[in-house]
Amino acid sequence: MNDISQNTSNDPESIIKLLMTAMSANDAEKIRSLFNSNASQAYGDGAAKSGKAFFSWLESDIIKRKGHVDNAKYTVNGNEVVVTGQYSSEGYTNKANFLFTVKDGQIMSWQMRY
């Protein structure tokens, strides 16, 4: 079992694994803490939301709906981590294909690639 209360490694894969563990536990405080204050999110190639708009989305679409990824698989390329698996939240399920960018131990972007 991962200890999600401490972030002992800044490597991108470890940061994203912390996020997946926090999402599975619905640990809102930990989820929020892993993102840069100006993090961004986009669906496919659509317009990205960042900063306050990102955190509003994170709260409504991930935290409140208990979003998580089952059977997560990780592919790392430098500071980018792709997570695949089965995404589920209250009232929604789909295959996950998420591209995260991590810098200096914080998640900078989250792109949903369905």
Side-chain angles (χ1 to χ4, degrees), residues 72-86:
K73 305 278 188 273
Y74 305 89
T75 304
V76 182
N77 183 9
N79 68 337
E80 294 183 337
V81 180
V82 173
V83 176
T84 57
Q86 186 65 40

Side-chain angles (χ1 to χ4, degrees), residues 51-97:
K52 283 185 158 187
F54 166 82
F55 282 97
S56 177
W57 167 84
L58 186 67
E59 197 68 34
S60 66
D61 286 30
I62 303 299
I63 295 168
K64 287 187 178 174
R65 295 182 64 196
K66 300 181 171 109
H68 62 280
V69 177
D70 293 320
N71 302 314
K73 305 278 188 273
Y74 305 89
T75 304
V76 182
N77 183 9
N79 68 337
E80 294 183 337
V81 180
V82 173
V83 176
T84 57
Q86 186 65 40
Y87 177 79
S88 297
S89 64
E90 291 181 350
Y92 181 79
T93 187
N94 200 351
K95 290 184 179 185
N97 184 350

Side-chain angles (χ1 to χ4, degrees), residues 3-30:
D3 179 2
I4 61 173
S5 64
Q6 291 184 342
N7 176 9
T8 57
S9 175
N10 281 341
D11 78 274
E13 184 175 10
S14 294
I15 299 298
I16 301 307
K17 284 183 175 180
L18 283 172
L19 175 65
M20 294 300 118
T21 301
M23 287 171 61
S24 291
N26 200 38
D27 183 341
E29 185 176 331
K30 184 62 179 179

Side-chain angles (χ1 to χ4, degrees), residues 42-55:
Y43 291 102
D45 292 328
K49 55 183 81 53
S50 61
K52 283 185 158 187
F54 166 82
F55 282 97

